[in-house]
Amino acid sequence: MISFLDLRETNSQHLSEIEEAILRVVRSGWYILGKEVEMFESSFSRYCGARYCIGVGNGFDAISLIIDAYKQQGIFSEGDEIIVPANTYIATILAISENGMTPILVEPDINTYNIDPRKIEEKITNRTKAILTVHLYGQLSPMRELKNIAEKYNLKLIDDAAQAHGAVCDGQKAGNLCDATAFSFYPTKNLGALGDAGAVTTNDTELQQIIRSLANYGTTTKYINKYKGKNSRLDEIQAAVLSVKLKYLEDEISARRNLAGQYLDKITNKSIVLPLVSDIHQHVFHLFVVRCTERNKLQQYLLDNGVQTQVHYPVPPHKQEAYKEWNGLSFPVTEQIAGEILSLPLHVALQSGDVDLVCDVLNGFQL
């Protein structure tokens, strides 16, 4: 069986360094907001090219804290609107709702799966305060177009880069492309911790100060609480693990690109729609996603032939019970994508020969 993802094997490549890092933290006696977090924040901000990095508890909190910080500045207010892709994991949208703001869903481009900038302006109202884009599957959203729209309407531009560590646009990495960026280091991510972890990057000094405070109970000085904050801190062990893995991220992205290139070259079945990749050297291939009108049949066929796959994501946010007020809405592009997409195995423990086998199986599929 070719596994969809093998985290044990992926992490075993750095096991001795990871064990050494964890033991260093244990022996230090300092487990929250210490030197390991400081070192990782410094390293990751340099990697992204951003001025600041704030380690937080997870990717969801990273998005939520950015929005909350803008509320604390008086830039956002409850009831304001944030434009967000209709085609995204629900966490992006939940973070907007959590802050009492209104998500405004916009259809994606059927070819890239990222938000379609041509459909944004018609959704802008006098309550719109931001565009929150998602770099789905490892390919950046059309940032030039989004920046132009944001500047035209004086909107904040925020990005969810949970799947795009190291992705590049015009020579700049995700994390340094807009006003603030949210990252997740969930174990399955290209840069994954051994538990929940996240970060915010920004070049805005005041914003980073507020986010750092909000994530630590709203404190600016010990026992002095300026904001109604939360507990969302990157812990020392996860920071130490991430510092180890960050050293190898570029090499692992290169490996992902090579495997993705094999898929792109060797899948010839006309019933399989390959992802549109504008530049393979800018995409980081968190996932390799194909489409097929008979997705469920294809998924079962692959499983029967020893290939595990997953669907990212089978039910769009506007069809979830959590947002039952949206269930009657129609987003046909999003719904088509949800019914056709299939994620193939792609991880750094995958061998080139495994990809060849997957391609052979795929090419033998018949509708």
Side-chain angles (χ1 to χ4, degrees):
M1 179 68 71
I2 297 175
S3 63
F4 176 75
L5 179 62
D6 189 337
L7 284 178
R8 184 170 63 179
E9 183 63 27
T10 296
N11 288 313
S12 70
Q13 299 177 59
H14 315 303
L15 188 58
S16 62
E17 288 184 78
I18 289 171
E19 289 176 336
E20 180 182 338
I22 292 172
L23 186 59
R24 181 175 69 243
V25 175
V26 173
R27 285 175 170 169
S28 76
W30 193 293
Y31 307 126
I32 300 290
L33 295 181
K35 292 181 180 179
E36 299 292 344
V37 170
E38 290 177 5
M39 286 191 295
F40 174 71
E41 288 178 341
S42 178
S43 297
F44 193 65
S45 63
R46 285 198 306 272
Y47 175 80
C48 295
R51 189 173 180 184
Y52 303 109
C53 170
I54 309 100
V56 298
N58 54 71
F60 171 83
D61 282 354
I63 304 168
S64 182
L65 286 162
I66 291 169
I67 297 170
D68 193 5
Y70 281 128
K71 287 173 64 182
Q72 299 299 333
Q73 289 180 308
I75 295 170
F76 296 170
S77 300
E78 289 197 10
D80 284 343
E81 298 171 351
I82 296 181
I83 287 172
V84 66
N87 179 45
T88 183
Y89 184 57
I90 198 170
T92 314
I93 294 169
L94 288 170
I96 299 172
S97 299
E98 181 185 61
N99 281 282
M101 300 185 70
T102 303
I104 302 298
L105 306 184
V106 172
E107 288 269 54
D109 183 322
I110 188 66
N111 297 304
T112 66
Y113 312 125
N114 285 327
I115 196 167
D116 189 338
R118 298 168 297 181
K119 298 177 180 177
I120 290 177
E121 290 191 78
E122 65 190 50
K123 297 292 186 78
I124 294 175
T125 73
N126 60 3
R127 298 293 293 176
T128 307
K129 294 299 173 67
I131 300 169
L132 201 178
T133 191
V134 182
H135 308 306
L136 209 57
Y137 307 145
Q139 181 161 243
L140 291 176
S141 303
M143 296 306 292
R144 292 179 210 165
E145 293 91 331
L146 296 181
K147 285 180 181 179
N148 289 338
I149 296 170
E151 290 173 4
K152 179 178 177 180
Y153 293 95
N154 192 30
L155 306 177
K156 291 297 180 183
L157 182 57
I158 305 165
D159 57 347
D160 176 348
Q163 300 184 6
H165 316 79
V168 179
C169 174
D170 295 333
Q172 292 184 304
K173 285 188 171 70
N176 190 32
L177 297 171
C178 58
D179 294 302
T181 300
F183 287 94
S184 168
F185 304 122
Y186 188 75
T188 62
K189 305 303 184 186
N190 289 17
L191 179 59
L194 298 186
D196 273 321
V200 174
T201 58
T202 184
N203 294 314
D204 185 325
T205 300
E206 184 181 11
L207 187 73
Q208 71 89 20
Q209 290 172 341
I210 296 172
I211 291 171
R212 196 175 293 281
S213 177
L214 285 169
N216 189 29
Y217 298 110
T219 61
T220 51
T221 304
K222 192 172 183 179
Y223 302 129
I224 304 299
N225 301 78
K226 184 175 181 179
Y227 308 106
K228 295 176 182 177
K230 63 170 70 177
N231 178 1
S232 182
R233 302 175 299 210
L234 176 63
D235 75 65
E236 289 285 280
I237 286 178
Q238 298 301 345
V241 170
L242 288 166
S243 290
V244 169
K245 297 182 75 175
L246 180 59
K247 295 187 298 182
Y248 302 100
L249 181 57
E250 283 297 308
D251 288 340
E252 293 183 356
I253 288 172
S254 179
R256 285 176 176 274
R257 287 173 178 152
N258 289 335
L259 295 171
Q262 279 187 257
Y263 277 134
L264 291 168
D265 289 341
K266 295 183 178 182
I267 297 173
T268 58
N269 191 325
K270 299 303 181 183
S271 65
I272 308 297
V273 180
L274 295 172
L276 178 65
V277 178
S278 57
D279 186 339
I280 199 167
H281 300 292
Q282 297 186 3
H283 201 312
V284 294
F285 295 99
H286 171 61
L287 296 168
F288 191 92
V289 179
V290 299
R291 292 203 334 267
C292 179
T293 56
E294 294 289 340
R295 189 267 310 288
N296 293 343
K297 179 180 177 182
L298 174 60
Q299 186 173 34
Q300 187 60 53
Y301 165 81
L302 286 166
L303 186 60
D304 291 343
N305 284 275
V307 179
Q308 292 180 342
T309 59
Q310 290 190 18
V311 178
H312 298 89
Y313 303 95
V315 182
H318 73 282
K319 294 298 183 183
Q320 299 281 359
E321 186 177 355
Y323 287 101
K324 53 182 176 292
E325 66 272 24
W326 292 346
N327 288 174
L329 298 179
S330 175
F331 292 93
V333 178
T334 296
E335 290 159 24
Q336 179 185 348
I337 290 169
E340 295 182 353
I341 50 172
L342 190 65
S343 301
L344 304 181
L346 199 161
H347 51 87
V348 295
L350 196 68
Q351 300 298 310
S352 177
D354 295 329
V355 173
D356 286 340
L357 287 172
V358 175
C359 292
D360 288 342
V361 173
L362 275 170
N363 289 335
F365 175 71
Q366 296 182 348
L367 288 177

